[in-house]
Amino acid sequence: MSATDETPGGSSALDATPSAYQEVQRSPEFASLRKRWRGFIFTMSAIFLAWFLVYVLLSDFAHGVVDTRLGSTNFTVGLLLGLLQFVSTFAIATIYVRFANRNLDDDAETLRKRVEEKL
């Protein structure tokens, strides 16, 4: 009988025995890894969205602030804030790489090896 054949109870043979992926997914190590990843992602997403919301609200409701020229050039506070959106995106990406290298990658590698051993 192949893994895709039906068993007499109506379910496939794959349903009867959990796969290596399912075993790892149920492990406390995976839950810990997922919790750390989600904590970082949700926190950084909230920070970025709040920062972007401030930029949008200032652009829409505080024309005097965003139209303020910086020095004697045509460079305004609004333009500076808009450019800082790009800077903050790259900063978050850099912070994430550092976070993943220190807090996620070793545990993820251990879990990957565990799955590969069972396959």
Side-chain angles (χ1 to χ4, degrees):
M1 176 184 296
S2 73
T4 58
D5 291 339
E6 292 282 325
T7 58
S11 63
S12 71
L14 285 177
D15 293 336
T17 56
S19 72
Y21 297 109
Q22 290 169 333
E23 287 179 29
V24 167
Q25 186 178 16
R26 292 181 191 134
S27 71
E29 296 88 358
F30 182 80
S32 172
L33 180 67
R34 185 175 55 199
K35 182 179 179 181
R36 282 179 278 148
W37 179 79
R38 284 183 175 173
F40 180 86
I41 294 299
F42 290 146
T43 301
M44 286 309 240
S45 296
I47 290 169
F48 181 79
L49 289 173
W51 154 234
F52 184 72
L53 181 63
V54 167
Y55 170 67
V56 169
L57 291 174
L58 284 173
S59 297
D60 197 30
F61 298 110
H63 297 287
V65 174
V66 294
D67 290 341
T68 303
R69 295 187 188 282
L70 300 173
S72 61
T73 65
N74 287 332
F75 201 73
T76 63
V77 170
L79 182 58
L80 176 64
L81 291 174
L83 292 173
L84 287 175
Q85 292 293 317
F86 292 104
V87 172
S88 64
T89 300
F90 290 114
I92 289 171
T94 302
I95 292 166
Y96 174 74
V97 168
R98 187 174 300 142
F99 173 81
N101 286 339
R102 291 181 182 167
N103 300 299
L104 304 175
D105 289 350
D106 291 338
D107 293 339
E109 180 69 18
T110 301
L111 290 172
R112 183 186 63 80
K113 286 179 182 177
R114 187 187 312 173
V115 167
E116 288 177 349
E117 287 172 1
K118 292 183 181 196
L119 292 178

